[in-house]
Amino acid sequence: MLRLNMRHRLPQIDLRIQHSRMESAHPRPAELHSNYRAPRSNMGTTMPTIEIDSYPSRHSYGYNTHIDEAREDGQKGLSDLQSTTSRRTQRAWQIIEGGAKRGNDIASYYDGKLSQQINRQRHIEAQAIPDPQVHITPCQLEGEPDIGSYDVDIQTYPKADVQYNPGSTQTYVKDQGFLRRWVTEGKYDIYA
């Protein structure tokens, strides 16, 4: 008698599961940036100055600058030139008009001039010497202070740095299984 033999293995399905997980979740720290500029006074004092003009007092006892001396000599020269020209012209006309007259007018003129110079009175004029002019400029405070600055900038981050790995599922056939059938005569063959 014929016997039907069967041998089978069920198919196997397998799952590969990778769980979702968070690798890191930590907050980002705030960042602080600052800019500092130191205050400075930027102030200082000027040097005091003293100006002394002693020329009026020195001029009173004979010290002249070249400008004053040239001016005085120029004015004196002009006045001397005018008086000398006038005097010589007048004397020339006296000689022209009275030279032929009796009496020696020329000799008497020069005798009178010589006696004038001998009898001339000398005198000294006393004047008060003016004080020198003194001008003092005191020292002054100059400049503007700089108060400096201190700027702070804080950068914050509202979200944490999160590294998230999503999970996954993979289904695959691990073993396809089988079904075998054969026929034997007189007995069952279960190990074939």
Side-chain angles (χ1 to χ4, degrees):
M1 163 176 261
L2 290 177
R3 309 238 179 191
L4 179 60
N5 295 303
M6 285 181 142
R7 184 168 178 91
H8 70 88
R9 189 167 58 210
L10 296 174
Q12 294 180 2
I13 298 174
D14 200 3
L15 295 175
R16 281 189 193 141
I17 299 173
Q18 184 177 2
H19 298 287
S20 60
R21 64 175 183 252
M22 217 172 277
E23 293 291 330
S24 62
H26 51 273
R28 286 180 67 181
E31 295 176 7
L32 175 72
H33 302 283
S34 63
N35 185 14
Y36 174 69
R37 188 167 47 90
R40 296 174 181 260
S41 69
N42 288 339
M43 299 184 81
T45 57
T46 59
M47 294 294 291
T49 58
I50 299 175
E51 296 173 6
I52 301 173
D53 185 12
S54 62
Y55 181 70
S57 62
R58 290 184 292 151
H59 180 65
S60 67
Y61 55 83
Y63 175 80
N64 291 334
T65 62
H66 296 302
I67 295 170
D68 286 345
E69 203 167 312
R71 186 184 317 114
E72 288 174 6
D73 288 347
Q75 290 171 353
K76 186 174 185 282
L78 285 174
S79 68
D80 286 352
L81 179 66
Q82 289 172 352
S83 67
T84 302
T85 304
S86 173
R87 190 178 74 239
R88 299 269 177 175
T89 304
Q90 187 180 8
R91 181 68 191 135
W93 278 109
Q94 284 175 357
I95 290 173
I96 290 170
E97 289 176 358
K101 293 183 183 175
R102 225 174 231 223
N104 194 350
D105 188 42
I106 296 173
S108 65
Y109 170 76
Y110 282 110
D111 285 341
K113 189 173 179 183
L114 183 61
S115 66
Q116 253 182 357
Q117 285 184 352
I118 291 171
N119 295 328
R120 188 167 55 180
Q121 295 286 328
R122 307 265 183 210
H123 66 276
I124 296 174
E125 184 178 334
Q127 294 180 350
I129 297 174
D131 294 331
Q133 298 173 356
V134 179
H135 179 70
I136 299 173
T137 305
C139 61
Q140 295 176 347
L141 190 63
E142 290 184 345
E144 290 291 326
D146 181 9
I147 60 172
S149 66
Y150 184 62
D151 300 325
V152 177
D153 181 29
I154 301 174
Q155 178 69 43
T156 58
Y157 300 97
K159 296 181 181 176
D161 282 338
V162 176
Q163 186 174 359
Y164 175 72
N165 292 329
S168 64
T169 304
Q170 189 177 34
T171 305
Y172 65 96
V173 177
K174 185 177 180 182
D175 191 359
Q176 291 189 355
F178 61 89
L179 177 62
R180 290 193 196 125
R181 295 173 299 218
W182 69 95
V183 178
T184 57
E185 201 172 320
K187 60 175 185 169
Y188 289 109
D189 184 8
I190 59 171
Y191 297 108

